[in-house]
Structure formats: structure tokens, C-alpha cells
Amino acid sequence: MQRHQTRTAYLFLLLPLVFFLIVRFLPTFLALRMSFFDWNILKEQQPFVGLENYQKLAVDGKFLQALKNTALYTVIGVPLQIALGLALALLLSRIRALRGLYRALYFAPYVTPIVAAAWVWQWLFSPQFGPVNTVLMWLHIPPQSFLTSPSQALPTTAALVVWQNLGFQVVLFLAGLAAIPRTYYEAAEIDGATGWDAFRNITWPLLNPTIVFSVVTGTISYLQLFTQVVNLNFTDQGGPLGSTMTVALYIYQMAFGRYAMGYASAITVVLFVIILLITLFQLKFLTRRYDL
């Protein structure tokens, strides 16, 4: 009976595993193979070029700019959304009245369609008739270009992503805070620990698994940033002057704009390696053991 149950369990586990291998791993290996060819769907021949596609990346100014922008999105967005998410979760964990309403309000942007949110954001920060510039003029501050300025477009786009992901971070940290036994805080109060001491010695260490998960998933999300950038500027995707271009958007333009599938596959492989290395680094150096 035990062997039969074990075989049944492996059978049920095998089905999603096969599906995962077909949907994830097979396209990955095909992309890796395609990256060694001059693969263009408009050409009859797809010649083998070896590492030529990867060599082009080293001198491709647009790719290097997209890589720089993607790094800036990650550096700006991940710490900001984690800090805000943790702060809001700490505040929401203390309230009693209308707790469900407040949590729903903060989570609503996360379940809002990205395209709709991007359109609203584009209207809010419009240089001509955006409400944000209207408020700035009331405060006697000159109107700003925001999404049409090469220096302001990236921070404005990053603000959209932070705002949209904030609800997910709040839910994560609320779950992490709820998992911490209250007896630890009661013992700390008996010992005379202040709020900051309790946070530093109890809350922060015990939230480490949540923080690691949030950092890893947030970093992966920002490194693959695509939809928000595309929908914030229809006429100049990745603009102005490439200031909001991301690696994922550049892959899309190469693959479906110029039909250079081989070159786009090479960029995909590079992005995959970058995400893998950063994730392994974060898991190794951010995970902490703690003793109470």
C-alpha cells in the first residue's frame, strides 16, 4: 500500500514536471542554440556564426544603455518598495478599526491591469494637462517634463512600478509579521526593550526569510521589466532617447521589430545568466541564521 501511494505521488508530480520542462527548459535550450546562428525569419539561410552575436553585444551601445537602465530600475525600485512595504506593514499591523479596508486599498494597485495603470500614470504626469503639473503650478513650482524628459522619464517609470508592487510587498510583510510569536515581544517588554530595540533584535532577524524572498523576487521582476515601459510611451517605446529602454524591451524590438531572432536569443541568454548569478548571490549573502 505504501509503495502504491508513493508511485501515485510520483506520477502526479511527474505530470507538472514534464509540463514545466516543455514550457520552460526546452525553450531555454532552443534559445541558447539559436543564439549561435544568424537566425532571421526573413532570410532563407540561417548560418552558424558561433559567438558573433555575443561579440556584438559588447559593442552594442543600445544594449549597454538598456543594461544600464535596467540596473538603475533595480537599484531604485527594489530597496524603495521593500522599505515602504515594511513600513506600511508595520503600521497596518497596529490598527484594529477598518483593517480589511486599508489592506484592500493598498493591495488594489497590484491587481490592477498593468496597461490600465500605465495609461493612468501617463495622464497624471502629462506635461500639458497632467494633474501633477497642475499641483506643482499651485505650489509655484515650474511644470516638469516627466515622461518626455530623458533625465526624469526613468524615475517616473520606476515610481509606477514601485507603486504597483507596493501592495504585494505589504501582504508579504504582514504575513511575515503575523508569523512572529507575540511571546518574544512580551518578553522584550518585561526586559525593558524599547520599540526600536524590539524591531532590531526581534522583528528584523525573524523577517529575514520574508526579506530575502522579497529582494529576490523583486530583483527578478525589475530585471525583466517590460510592460510598464511599453505602455507609458507608445510613440517612442524605451524613450525619450533610450532613457527608459530595458533589456527585455530591447529583446522584443530585436526579435519582433527587426526579426533578428539569433541576436535576440543571445541577449536573452545573457539576461538569464545575469538573473541567475544575482539570485544565487542574494540567496547566499542575504540569508541569515538567527538565535533568540
Side-chain angles (χ1 to χ4, degrees), residues 33-40 43-50 52-53 262:
R33 177 182 179 274
M34 192 181 297
S35 68
F36 297 111
F37 292 82
D38 183 14
W39 197 287
N40 191 311
K43 298 180 181 179
E44 295 183 1
Q45 302 295 327
Q46 318 295 343
F48 177 80
V49 294
E52 183 177 326
N53 287 326

Side-chain angles (χ1 to χ4, degrees), residues 187-208:
E189 290 180 4
I190 294 174
D191 292 336
T194 62
W196 169 248
D197 291 330
F199 175 81
R200 183 167 58 90
N201 296 297
I202 299 176
T203 306
W204 184 258
L206 292 178
L207 278 179
N208 180 260

Side-chain angles (χ1 to χ4, degrees), residues 57 60 62-71 73 147 153-154 157 220-261 263-265 267-268 271 275:
L57 290 177
D60 187 346
K62 290 186 178 180
F63 168 73
L64 296 177
Q65 179 66 34
L67 191 62
K68 176 185 175 182
N69 292 342
T70 303
Y73 279 121
L147 292 171
L154 191 147
T157 305
I220 293 174
S221 176
Y222 277 93
L223 291 175
Q224 297 177 335
L225 193 60
F226 174 79
T227 309
Q228 291 89 342
V229 179
V230 170
N231 288 279
L232 277 175
N233 195 334
F234 290 109
T235 58
D236 185 16
Q237 294 179 345
L241 301 177
S243 59
T244 61
M245 177 69 68
T246 64
V247 176
L249 177 55
Y250 192 56
I251 293 172
Y252 173 80
Q253 291 181 348
M254 290 294 103
F256 302 103
R258 301 185 182 180
Y259 305 109
M261 297 294 181
Y263 191 61
S265 297
I267 304 174
T268 303
L271 180 60
I275 293 175

